[in-house]
Amino acid sequence: MMGTADDRFAIIDLAALYMRGLDRLDGDLLLAQFWPGARCEYGVFSGPAEDFAAFCMKMLKEHQRNHHMLGQHLIDFTGPNEAYGEVYYQAYHRVFDNSGDARDLFIAGRYVDRYERRDGVWKFAYRSELVDWVRDDPATDGMVAVAPFIMGQRKPDDPLYNRQAMRHP
């Protein structure tokens, strides 16, 4: 069964909003992508989505920054209100080791999902994260400290949340 283009885009946006919730440390946004009663299986976490969102916010708060990138989405519609998906990802985390030195942690893999549509809205009913590779290196972004970059922030400080600044006078 094929879903409509609108169905596919809604599921792709769902995954992007999930990542925004993680990267901007916005637990409400993250949780809003799941149906009540949804389950998450991540190896380091197994349980209800509500607990997962709280787990993520606590864990990611310790990171200096996070950046998730999505790859291809494969979506299999099994009915008008159910679909299964596989989404490739790469995740970057600025973390600190036990001596306080900055580390660049990269994790790549796939999400394997089950989506449900209720009252015309698609959300996660089940999400699992599969890890294909991990890389942990000393931080090497000295240029960030000296270049005049606008750095991504967490909610509400990220420029994403200041739409007025994006308007031209």
Side-chain angles (χ1 to χ4, degrees):
M1 171 172 214
M2 294 291 293
T4 68
D6 287 344
D7 292 330
R8 288 184 178 281
F9 283 120
I11 290 172
I12 290 168
D13 282 353
L14 178 70
L17 290 167
Y18 170 94
M19 294 307 193
R20 179 186 286 174
L22 292 174
D23 290 343
R24 303 287 69 85
L25 212 60
D26 187 341
D28 292 336
L29 178 63
L30 177 64
L31 184 56
Q33 308 319 304
F34 292 91
W35 288 116
R39 183 148 185 86
C40 298
E41 299 290 343
Y42 283 68
V44 298
F45 177 91
S46 176
E50 295 83 3
D51 294 345
F52 174 72
F55 168 81
C56 287
M57 294 304 104
K58 181 179 179 185
M59 181 185 63
L60 295 175
K61 189 177 191 179
E62 302 301 317
H63 298 183
Q64 184 177 27
R65 67 180 71 94
N66 302 290
H67 180 92
H68 291 80
M69 181 67 67
L70 295 173
Q72 63 267 32
H73 290 249
L74 299 171
I75 303 168
D76 178 21
F77 291 89
T78 57
N81 298 311
E82 182 184 62
Y84 291 82
E86 178 185 49
V87 181
Y88 281 68
Y89 74 88
Q90 289 187 1
Y92 162 76
H93 304 280
R94 169 55 57 85
V95 298
F96 298 93
D97 63 20
N98 291 336
S99 49
D101 293 330
R103 308 279 309 167
D104 288 332
L105 175 64
F106 294 90
I107 304 170
R110 296 165 291 128
Y111 291 103
V112 176
D113 303 320
R114 187 172 71 81
Y115 316 102
E116 289 182 4
R117 178 170 51 184
R118 301 179 191 171
D119 296 322
V121 176
W122 286 100
K123 292 188 179 190
F124 295 109
Y126 172 86
R127 175 154 254 211
S128 65
E129 180 184 66
L130 310 176
V131 174
D132 291 327
W133 59 266
V134 176
R135 185 171 177 159
D136 180 5
D137 295 314
T140 59
D141 62 354
M143 178 169 220
V144 169
V146 297
F149 294 124
I150 299 171
M151 298 298 292
Q153 303 294 319
R154 295 179 171 158
K155 185 182 180 181
D157 299 322
D158 192 84
L160 167 76
Y161 299 100
N162 187 357
R163 291 187 174 178
Q164 186 60 38
M166 294 183 223
R167 290 191 166 95
H168 294 286

